[in-house]
Amino acid sequence: MPALASHRKPRTRVRTTAPALGITTAAFASVGLLAQTAGAAPAAPTAPKPTVEEVQKKVDDLYRQAGTATQKYNLAKEKTEQQRKSVDGLLDAVAKRTERLNEARRKLGNYAAAQYRSGSVTPTAALLLADSPQAYFDQNRLMDRMTERQKTDVTDFEQQQAAASQKRAEATRSLETLTESQASLKASKQDVQRKLGEARELLSRLTAEEKARLAELEKKREAEARRKAEAERKRQQEEAQKAESDTETDTATGTGTGTAPGSGTGTAPGSGAGSTDAYAVKAEKVLAFARAQIGKPYVWGAAGPSSYDCSGLTQGAWKAAGVALPRTTWDQVNVGTRVATDNLRPGDLVFFYDDISHVGIYIGGGKMIHAPKPGAYVREESVYYMPIYGSVRPA
């Protein structure tokens, strides 16, 4: 029997294509990224790299600030050393006072023990128990004398106790001051190190070409300072020649015997040949010491003998001439007599910058010997290399 035909309509297969998940996700991500980029604020512009001239100015300023911090360090160190000596002296005094107090306390203790042992015996019983009336009266007079001595010892004890307490209080205050000085010393040291670290960081960022350019700028600066020093040397030479010529003229004409007002041989304070010669002798010793230190490294806070900072060098040089200078530039500038730059003589101290953070020793001809800055060595240099604050003649 033939198979019956199927009356069912064949099912039409509809094929649907689903989008790939990875491509769709990527598309959405791209759209979102574009939207964020369109709505985001523009990136901040990168700061322009400083020029070599700007780096030079910044580094010079940091070295100057480090010089100021070094003087603060020197001052704090000086105060710390002085305070430590004061504390040591006070502690010794406290120990001596305590020993005296203990001795007075032992005497009173002996008296107290003696009174305790004899305190239960009445005067009548003491008379009856005595070997003889005379022995009683002798002992009674002795006790009266002991009572007077006791009063003296009690007074001495009270005085020693008050003195010991005062010394202990002074020592406590001095220790507190020492602690403050030590804290100031530590802060100043950190400040110096921070400034020098910033300067080193700036210099380390320079390329080889920029470093060469910086060296060229430094050479020009030194050349200008030397030019000014040379002009000063010539001026001094011309003045000396003129003075010598005037002297020869006066001698030839028979004038200039020293009778005019203001002349003489040193009778006026700080003037005359005697004063000039005495200062010249000291200055010679100062310059001899300073020249012997040339080539030694600058180290902040150092005062020799293997390294120096600026005020450590000037202090050591004048010490060689028998003159004691204080440690810092701020104190050294107040020693001796102020002199104008045009009147500088070898041995004078020349100070620089408005904050008086640097000092050098004048050697004549517009030049000085000084300990310049970290990384440099004690050397001769023009006084016009830095802005001059003022000058003094220490002795």
Side-chain angles (χ1 to χ4, degrees):
M1 184 175 169
L4 296 176
S6 174
H7 296 286
R8 291 184 181 175
K9 233 174 143 181
R11 181 179 296 173
T12 305
R13 295 177 178 269
V14 180
R15 186 173 181 181
T16 60
T17 304
L21 181 59
I23 297 175
T24 304
T25 304
F28 280 126
S30 298
V31 172
L33 183 60
L34 289 171
Q36 289 177 3
T37 304
T46 304
K49 185 177 181 179
T51 65
V52 175
E53 288 79 5
E54 289 172 339
V55 170
Q56 182 191 42
K57 185 177 183 302
K58 180 64 175 176
V59 169
D60 285 347
D61 189 52
L62 285 170
Y63 278 142
R64 185 186 61 77
Q65 291 177 32
T68 302
T70 297
Q71 295 307 313
K72 290 180 180 179
Y73 171 84
N74 291 337
L75 182 62
K77 185 178 180 181
E78 188 176 43
K79 286 184 177 180
T80 299
E81 291 172 351
Q82 292 173 350
Q83 201 62 38
R84 184 176 287 112
K85 290 179 181 178
S86 175
V87 168
D88 291 343
L90 285 170
L91 290 177
D92 289 343
V94 167
K96 291 177 182 178
R97 288 290 182 182
T98 301
E99 179 60 31
R100 292 176 187 174
L101 179 63
N102 290 337
E103 180 63 27
R105 185 180 285 115
R106 281 192 290 271
K107 286 184 180 180
L108 294 183
N110 291 336
Y111 292 146
Q115 289 177 352
Y116 175 78
R117 287 192 297 269
S118 62
S120 58
V121 181
T122 63
T124 303
L127 176 61
L128 294 174
L129 293 173
D131 294 337
S132 67
Q134 185 62 41
Y136 167 77
F137 288 115
D138 290 341
Q139 183 180 11
N140 194 40
R141 284 195 297 271
L142 177 62
M143 291 301 296
D144 287 341
R145 288 196 297 272
M146 286 185 64
T147 300
E148 290 299 323
R149 192 181 309 131
Q150 287 175 3
K151 290 179 181 179
T152 301
D153 288 338
V154 167
T155 301
D156 180 61
F157 173 79
E158 292 173 344
Q159 291 174 347
Q160 296 297 340
Q161 189 177 42
S165 297
Q166 181 180 356
K167 287 298 180 184
R168 277 195 294 269
E170 290 178 13
T172 300
R173 289 192 298 270
S174 190
L175 282 170
E176 291 173 353
T177 304
L178 176 59
T179 302
E180 293 173 0
S181 298
Q182 289 173 332
S184 177
L185 181 65
K186 182 179 179 181
S188 298
K189 181 177 181 179
Q190 291 172 342
D191 194 21
V192 174
Q193 292 172 333
R194 184 170 57 255
K195 299 297 183 185
L196 296 180
E198 290 179 22
R200 284 192 296 267
E201 177 65 21
L202 278 173
L203 293 173
S204 68
R205 294 175 187 171
L206 296 178
T207 65
E209 184 179 350
E210 288 171 333
K211 289 178 180 178
R213 168 67 177 155
L214 184 62
E216 184 64 27
L217 290 174
E218 187 68 17
K219 287 180 180 179
K220 288 182 178 179
R221 180 179 175 184
E222 291 173 356
E224 177 62 18
R226 285 196 299 270
R227 185 190 65 77
K228 291 181 179 179
E230 180 61 20
E232 175 62 18
R233 187 191 66 79
K234 289 181 178 179
R235 183 190 70 82
Q236 293 177 356
Q237 187 177 27
E238 290 172 357
E239 285 188 353
Q241 289 174 348
K242 184 178 183 302
E244 184 178 356
S245 176
D246 291 344
T247 301
E248 291 175 354
T249 301
D250 291 342
T251 303
T253 58
T255 60
T257 56
T259 57
S263 63
T265 58
T267 56
S271 64
S275 175
T276 300
D277 292 343
Y279 185 78
V281 170
K282 292 179 180 178
E284 186 177 349
K285 294 178 180 178
V286 170
L287 297 187
F289 179 93
R291 289 192 174 100
Q293 313 314 311
I294 290 177
K296 293 183 179 180
Y298 174 101
V299 175
W300 64 270
S306 59
S307 58
Y308 294 88
D309 63 16
C310 64
S311 56
L313 177 64
T314 53
Q315 184 186 48
W318 270 99
K319 182 179 180 181
V323 177
L325 293 183
R327 180 64 179 88
T328 70
T329 55
W330 302 322
D331 291 328
Q332 290 181 7
V333 75
N334 294 317
V335 174
T337 307
R338 289 291 184 95
V339 292
T341 304
D342 289 344
N343 297 327
L344 283 171
R345 293 178 54 196
D348 292 347
L349 301 182
V350 186
F351 298 86
F352 301 89
Y353 301 113
D354 290 340
D355 59 359
I356 322 175
S357 56
H358 192 71
V359 63
I361 304 168
Y362 190 69
I363 62 174
K367 292 184 178 182
M368 65 178 171
I369 295 176
H370 70 143
K373 59 185 177 182
Y377 299 85
V378 176
R379 66 192 184 200
E380 290 186 8
E381 196 154 47
S382 167
V383 296
Y384 301 103
Y385 183 76
M386 295 167 284
I388 296 175
Y389 171 83
S391 307
V392 300
R393 190 160 295 153

